[in-house]
Amino acid sequence: MDGKNHTLISMIHLLGFQSPENLTLLFFFIFLMIYSMTMCANLLIITLVLYGRTLHSPMYFFLSQLAVSDMLLATDILPNMLHAILMKGTIISLANCITQFFFFGVSETLESLLLTVMSYDRYLAICKPLYYALIMNDRVCWIMVITSWMSTILIILVLTLTISQLQFCEPNIIDHFYCDLDPILQLSCSVTTAVQLEVTLLSALFVVMPFFIIIISYVYIIVTIFEISSITERKKAFSTCSSHLAIVSIYYGTLVCVYLVASRGQLWNIGKFPSLLYTVFIPLLNPMIYSLRNKDLKKVLGKLISNSLNMQRNRRVQRKC
């Protein structure tokens, strides 16, 4: 409430990226291509997992859920961001701003839980191979995924409802390209202690704790891999979790850059760039990392392309006949 005009607001002006006039169209087409590639790459992952019988395993089932989460994040952030680039900012209602934060929170929290589930899956596959098929059956996989989705939606809904009870006052300007938590709270002329306590608790439960579970899982995985006598088997075991480890490193690395390294009093112009990596590039990097490093996905993609080409040839032959 310090020094703020206490006129309540219902609309918010998102400044987005303040790019030079002559680069506006270039930035627009770059981010439009990123959005298109993100949706296509993640849809391809989902299609391959559904199509390929060899991909009907827990690891790829969780990967398809991660692809759904990435599509949700990209669709929540990028369309509005593209509009803001063209219009040099965008005006949205307070309700839409809070809604955008809700879907952003759901996708990011869900990714944290899915990465944790995937690390547990790799732990069982490498450290407990004899029990893997017994423990990670279809029923357990579905329970894990449904629990991740339901708990994520529930806790973010509670946080969002708490935020919606706050009063927001002028100035109604957010110098960012999406409605993140800190920029929203900076507009509040109410006491935000309850929200901050909820965020601290939820961050500890759904970000910090999963991170430590992942770390512990990989300590056991690495120890087990080094105990394998065959170098070939050692490389094969590591290759099954290297893509997941790369995604975990990028995800938590950008989290640290955006929310821990950046000080609260920092200008958002500086904070926009790590946020860009976090919200725009990671949903594209995830499927690319898995598809480029995974032989099983490449084989299924080759079969899918081959079958599609054969179907087209057969149709041409039938038309000629």
Side-chain angles (χ1 to χ4, degrees):
M1 300 178 67
D2 298 339
K4 276 192 178 180
N5 184 345
H6 287 192
T7 304
L8 298 181
I9 60 173
S10 60
M11 306 299 291
I12 291 177
H13 185 195
L14 275 175
L15 295 182
F17 284 100
Q18 301 303 306
S19 58
E21 191 68 36
N22 57 338
L23 296 178
T24 298
L25 286 178
L26 176 63
F27 284 163
F28 175 81
F29 284 113
I30 287 173
F31 287 114
L32 179 61
M33 284 182 61
I34 290 172
Y35 180 51
S36 301
M37 291 171 63
T38 298
M39 298 303 287
C40 290
N42 284 290
L43 276 173
L44 179 62
I45 292 287
I46 295 169
T47 303
L48 292 177
V49 171
L50 291 173
Y51 174 80
R53 293 182 180 179
T54 57
L55 303 181
H56 292 173
S57 66
M59 181 175 73
Y60 295 109
F61 175 63
F62 296 138
L63 178 60
S64 67
Q65 295 299 310
L66 188 65
V68 173
S69 174
D70 287 333
M71 290 172 65
L72 175 63
L73 177 59
T75 303
D76 183 47
I77 301 295
L78 275 162
N80 196 58
M81 178 181 170
L82 290 169
H83 181 264
I85 290 173
L86 279 182
M87 306 306 294
K88 297 296 181 182
T90 185
I91 295 175
I92 63 173
S93 68
L94 177 61
N96 285 342
C97 187
I98 294 175
T99 301
Q100 186 185 49
F101 168 74
F102 169 76
F103 285 107
F104 165 74
V106 166
S107 60
E108 291 300 337
T109 307
L110 179 63
E111 180 150 352
S112 176
L113 295 181
L114 288 175
L115 290 175
T116 307
V117 169
M118 292 168 79
S119 71
Y120 178 67
D121 172 71
R122 291 301 84 205
Y123 162 76
L124 289 177
I126 294 172
C127 301
K128 307 286 183 182
L130 297 178
Y131 299 97
Y132 179 73
L134 180 65
I135 297 174
M136 294 300 290
N137 54 53
D138 289 345
R139 182 172 175 271
V140 170
C141 291
W142 275 107
I143 289 173
M144 285 182 168
V145 165
I146 292 172
T147 302
S148 297
W149 274 99
M150 295 303 292
S151 59
T152 296
I153 292 172
L154 181 61
I155 62 110
I156 298 299
L157 181 61
V158 170
L159 177 60
T160 305
L161 289 175
T162 306
I163 293 171
S164 67
Q165 300 303 310
L166 300 175
Q167 290 185 331
F168 297 90
C169 305
E170 292 184 347
N172 64 333
I173 297 173
I174 291 181
D175 189 7
H176 213 344
F177 60 90
Y178 71 101
C179 293
D180 201 358
L181 179 64
D182 277 351
I184 291 175
L185 293 185
Q186 286 179 11
L187 298 182
S188 175
C189 47
S190 303
V191 177
T192 60
T193 306
V195 176
Q196 291 170 350
L197 285 174
E198 283 184 16
V199 170
T200 302
L201 177 61
L202 296 177
S203 297
L205 290 175
F206 293 93
V207 178
V208 178
M209 190 179 294
F211 176 70
F212 281 111
I213 293 172
I214 293 170
I215 292 295
I216 293 170
S217 299
Y218 272 99
V219 168
Y220 280 103
I221 288 169
I222 292 169
V223 169
T224 303
I225 288 174
F226 277 111
E227 289 176 350
I228 299 173
S229 56
S230 171
I231 296 176
T232 303
E233 290 297 318
R234 192 183 299 172
K235 288 181 178 178
K236 183 179 178 182
F238 184 75
S239 67
T240 63
C241 57
S242 58
S243 297
H244 176 259
L245 188 57
I247 289 173
V248 168
S249 302
I250 294 171
Y251 174 79
Y252 281 99
T254 51
L255 264 181
V256 170
C257 289
V258 174
Y259 295 109
L260 296 183
V261 174
S263 62
R264 289 292 180 107
Q266 187 183 47
L267 290 174
W268 281 106
N269 283 326
I270 301 172
K272 287 178 187 178
F273 294 101
S275 296
L276 194 66
L277 175 65
Y278 184 62
T279 57
V280 175
F281 289 103
I282 283 183
L284 176 61
L285 286 174
N286 285 352
M288 290 181 66
I289 289 172
Y290 263 99
S291 60
L292 291 175
R293 297 180 59 86
N294 193 289
K295 293 179 181 179
D296 293 334
L297 284 172
K298 290 178 182 178
K299 286 180 182 178
V300 174
L301 178 60
K303 289 181 181 179
L304 183 62
I305 294 172
S306 177
N307 289 341
S308 299
L309 292 174
N310 289 335
M311 287 178 63
Q312 289 180 358
R313 288 171 188 168
N314 292 335
R315 286 176 182 174
R316 289 174 185 173
V317 170
Q318 288 176 358
R319 287 174 183 175
K320 288 180 181 179
C321 295

